[in-house]
Amino acid sequence: MTGSPFLGLGGAVPSESSPAVAGHYGNPMVEQRRLERGEAIVDLSDRGVVTVTGPDRLSWLHSMASQSFDRLAPGEGIEALLLDAAGHIEHAVHAVDDGETVWLVVEGDEAAPLAAWLDRMRFMLRVEVADRSAESAVLAAMSTSALDAAVPAYAPAGVALDWVDPWATGPRPGGHQYADAAGHPASGWRLIERIVPRPALAAAAEAVAAGRVAVAGALALDALRIAAWRPRLASEVDEKTIPHELDWLRSAVDLGKGCYKGQETVAKVLNLGRPPRRLVLLHLDGSDTVLPAPGDEVVGEKVRPEPADGEAPERRVVGRVTSSAMHHELGPIALAVVKRAVPAELPLIVLSHGIDIAAAQVEIVPAGAGAAVEVPRLPRLGVRKP
């Protein structure tokens, strides 16, 4: 994917993780504040766009995805996951239907594989799948007014292609939340993704240059995302991830819908088991001004009951960092996936760049998250009740 016109704006520095867009424009902290206030837009033109058209599109997607598509109204946005047979996350889509077409926003490198997989699954149904990434792009903001100042809403079928992230509104009907509802930071995450024709990026960049709207880079968006405990496929997901571990049942799964691949694992872990791993927020010691990189090890430090003189505490790897950022209010923060049994009070250390970074854990998926169904204990054979 070629570079965006936004890279031509003053101060633009390409993102390290995705050089096709800007990581920042010279002042990530100021950009965060403007984005949070709804005054700035973010160039997400490195994302992919896949479309599904045809009269069977909603029922077809409904049969494969973790979320309900069958009652999706024009202009309504939902989030859905596509899982493998063992319940592991393979794709995450941001979907909006315009009455004729379902538009799916995905990670940039996911568009072609997803479109190819969907195309193989059509069979005799009346659907057509297309990768529209070369002709479509995505801009984002925390307010519609900021987007409108940059580029008009795109409505090829008369319905604006604005996807409003459901994360802010709490568990969707049929969803489930592991995190404590009290003090959940999702209410501050009001993201809107606007799908536009790719040539409209130039006009949006001109609006920024003319001072009609402010701009923020990918670093600013990621900092606010991490602070909102918002999982992302590109960072929090690996080949073993199931939705429960990231509290993704909250926005992307309808537990009441019919059969789909991976549903058995989703129901079994929720009703009878516990997530094998869990997402946490880490408040990091900023003394060394070092931010961990994705994949950096998180270790737990346990003091032995009677340590010998000079003996170091016992350490064991309990997880890995998935994403990190410098937040304008919280300071250095990170999301990490750790083992389920890690106690909430255990002191954690992130090993990064040869430095020990102390980390205070905030539970997102609690260590004690358990079964949603109370399984009755069966009496032992041969034992009579009094």
Side-chain angles (χ1 to χ4, degrees):
M1 196 172 292
T2 58
S4 165
F6 280 72
L7 290 172
L9 295 172
V13 176
S15 167
E16 292 184 7
S17 60
S18 182
V21 297
H24 65 88
Y25 298 87
N27 197 329
M29 295 300 172
V30 171
E31 294 166 30
Q32 278 185 49
R33 295 186 184 98
R34 289 173 176 167
L35 181 61
E36 191 173 51
R37 293 196 299 263
E39 300 171 357
I41 60 172
V42 181
D43 174 22
L44 296 183
S45 59
D46 58 337
R47 303 291 168 90
V49 178
V50 174
T51 58
V52 181
T53 58
D56 295 332
R57 67 189 184 281
L58 295 179
S59 59
W60 179 60
L61 289 169
H62 180 82
S63 69
M64 297 183 291
S66 64
Q67 189 58 269
S68 294
F69 278 83
D70 59 342
R71 298 182 299 276
L72 186 63
E76 180 185 1
I78 59 172
E79 180 180 34
L81 305 174
L82 295 168
L83 311 175
D84 68 13
H88 302 129
I89 299 172
E90 293 190 321
H91 300 282
V93 301
H94 299 169
V96 60
D97 184 74
D98 65 6
E100 298 179 358
T101 301
V102 178
W103 298 73
L104 307 174
V105 176
V106 297
E107 302 289 350
D109 59 359
E110 292 288 310
L114 175 62
W117 181 79
L118 288 173
D119 197 55
R120 292 195 300 270
M121 299 298 292
R122 290 188 304 142
F123 304 114
M124 299 298 291
L125 294 173
R126 298 169 297 170
V127 293
E128 295 293 334
V129 179
D131 181 354
R132 305 282 288 273
S133 305
E135 60 197 75
S136 303
V138 180
L139 296 171
M142 296 290 180
S143 72
T144 304
S145 59
L147 289 166
D148 289 344
V151 60
Y154 181 48
V159 176
L161 298 181
D162 283 358
W163 179 81
V164 180
D165 194 340
W167 190 253
T169 57
R172 286 181 56 88
H176 178 82
Q177 178 171 306
Y178 284 111
D180 188 352
H184 198 295
S187 59
W189 178 257
R190 305 176 303 279
L191 189 71
I192 304 165
E193 294 179 353
R194 174 167 290 180
I195 303 170
V196 298
R198 191 161 285 273
L201 290 175
E206 290 174 4
V208 172
R212 294 195 294 273
V213 66
V215 68
L219 288 177
L221 182 64
D222 217 35
L224 299 183
R225 177 187 68 82
I226 292 169
W229 306 350
R230 204 333 171 190
R232 180 183 171 189
L233 182 78
S235 50
E236 276 64 58
V237 174
D238 61 24
E239 69 281 356
K240 299 184 295 183
T241 305
I242 61 174
H244 317 64
E245 297 175 330
L246 307 180
D247 210 15
W248 226 339
L249 302 180
R250 185 178 191 276
S251 61
V253 177
D254 182 352
L255 296 165
K257 73 180 293 287
C259 186
Y260 58 92
K261 190 166 66 170
Q263 183 194 20
E264 183 178 355
T265 297
V266 170
K268 184 176 180 179
V269 174
L270 174 67
N271 293 327
L272 303 176
R274 293 183 177 182
R277 301 179 298 177
R278 57 191 189 84
L279 187 66
V280 299
L281 177 76
L282 299 178
H283 288 281
L284 305 169
D285 179 10
S287 302
D288 294 301
T289 65
V290 171
L291 275 178
D296 283 348
E297 291 182 340
V298 179
V299 301
E301 196 166 76
K302 183 178 181 181
V303 179
R304 295 180 177 89
E306 296 181 2
D309 291 343
E311 186 179 16
E314 179 184 354
R315 287 184 171 184
R316 60 188 177 93
V317 176
V318 298
R320 294 187 181 274
V321 169
T322 59
S323 51
S324 64
M326 183 66 71
H327 190 270
H328 69 94
E329 288 183 343
L330 302 177
I333 55 176
L335 291 176
V337 174
V338 302
K339 296 177 180 178
R340 179 190 68 210
V342 175
E345 66 278 4
L346 181 69
L348 299 178
I349 294 173
V350 177
L351 306 181
S352 182
H353 302 86
I355 298 172
D356 289 4
I357 304 174
Q361 176 191 164
V362 177
E363 291 187 309
I364 297 175
V365 177
V373 172
E374 186 70 28
V375 179
R377 298 188 65 177
L378 298 178
R380 294 172 59 189
L381 293 176
V383 177
R384 293 184 178 180
K385 290 186 178 181

